[in-house]
Amino acid sequence: MTAIGIYGSMGRMGQAIVQELSGLGARYAGGADAKDDPAPVAQAADVLVDFSAPAALAAHLTAARAAKTPIVIGTTGLSSAHHAMIDDAAADIAVLQTGNTSLGVTLLAQLVREAAARLDADWDIEIVEMHHRHKVDAPSGTALLLGAAAADGRGTTLADSSVYDRAGVTGARSEGTIGFASLRGGSVIGDHSVVLAGEGERIELVHRADSRAIFARGAVRAALWLAKQPAGRYAMAEVLGL
C-alpha cells in the first residue's frame, strides 16, 4: 500500500484526506502541522500531500527534496516566489501543484480552455466564485486555475488579461479581458461559474462542490499517480490523461 504523509494534517482538508485513504488503497504515513518538523513525515512517506499554508511551503519542499519524496501541493494563495520554489524543487522530485484537486474541476478547466480557444475575443469571459465566510484568499485558487485555462485557450496569460477589481466609474469592459468576482458567506464549500457572454447569447460552465470529500479523493488519486512519476512539475490534468 502506498504510504501518504500529510502536511496540514489537522486542518479540514487534512482530516478529510485521512478519512479517504483506506478506501482508495493507501495508508497514512503520518502528518505534520505548523510547529512540527516536516522531515520525519517526508522520510516515512512514499508521497506527500500539502494542504497547509503558503508560509510553510519552503520548509515542506526542503524536507521533500531531502527525502526524495514526491509532493502534491494543494495549498492556495501562492505567490510567484512560491511557484519559483516549486519549479526549483521539480528538478529533483515529482511535484504536482494545483488550485483544486477535484476531478470535476479538472475536467471543467479543460472545457473552459476548449471553449475559450474556439470562441472569438468578442465573447467576454467572467469567473464568479463563492466560498464560506472563513476563506482568507480571493479569488480562490480554483478561480485562478479556471482563469488560467481560459487565458491559455485564448493564447495569452492571466497576468496580461485579468481584471480583479471593479468599483466606481470603470468605463466600458475591455475586449479580451477575463474578469473575476468573489463572494463570501455561510458554509459554501465552493461554487465556480465561468460565463462566456457573446452578443445575444451566453454559455455558463458551472461546478458546485457539495462535499469536501471530493477534494480529498482527488488529492489521494493525484498522490497515488504522482508516486510513480519521475522528477518534474505536473498538473491535475495529467492525472486524468488530459
Side-chain angles (χ1 to χ4, degrees), residues 30-114:
D33 290 277
K35 297 182 179 180
D36 300 326
D37 180 358
V41 177
Q43 293 161 2
D46 297 317
V47 60
L48 297 159
V49 177
D50 188 352
F51 275 95
S52 56
L57 182 64
H60 294 167
L61 287 174
T62 297
R65 293 176 82 172
K68 300 295 183 185
T69 306
I71 183 170
V72 174
I73 300 168
T75 303
T76 58
L78 302 182
S79 67
S80 57
H82 292 119
H83 285 285
M85 291 178 200
I86 294 170
D87 288 338
D88 190 45
D92 297 326
I93 58 173
V95 184
L96 189 156
Q97 182 274 323
T98 181
N100 193 302
T101 54
S102 158
L103 301 181
V105 166
T106 301
L107 184 57
L108 174 61
Q110 183 68 17
L111 296 174
V112 170
R113 184 179 292 105
E114 175 91 1

Side-chain angles (χ1 to χ4, degrees), residues 108-121 123-127 142-164 173 175-180 194-196 205:
L108 174 61
Q110 183 68 17
L111 296 174
V112 170
R113 184 179 292 105
E114 175 91 1
R118 292 180 179 274
L119 297 172
D120 293 332
W123 284 71
D124 301 322
I125 300 177
E126 295 286 312
I127 298 172
T142 302
L144 295 173
L145 180 154
L146 295 171
D152 184 51
R154 284 267 169 92
T156 185
T157 66
L158 199 53
D160 290 334
S161 56
S162 55
V163 175
Y164 299 109
R173 191 186 196 283
E175 185 176 278
T177 55
I178 298 172
F180 290 83
V194 180
V195 181
L196 299 103
L205 300 171

Side-chain angles (χ1 to χ4, degrees), residues 227-239:
K228 302 173 184 177
Q229 307 308 314
R233 183 163 181 170
Y234 300 92
M236 279 298 294
E238 292 165 280
V239 178

Side-chain angles (χ1 to χ4, degrees), residues 1-5 20-22 24-30 44-49 69-70 72 219-228:
M1 246 184 209
T2 302
I4 297 179
E20 295 292 328
L21 289 177
S22 61
L24 294 172
R27 66 179 180 84
Y28 187 36
D46 297 317
V47 60
L48 297 159
V49 177
T69 306
V72 174
V220 174
R221 180 164 170 180
L224 293 174
W225 179 87
L226 191 68
K228 302 173 184 177

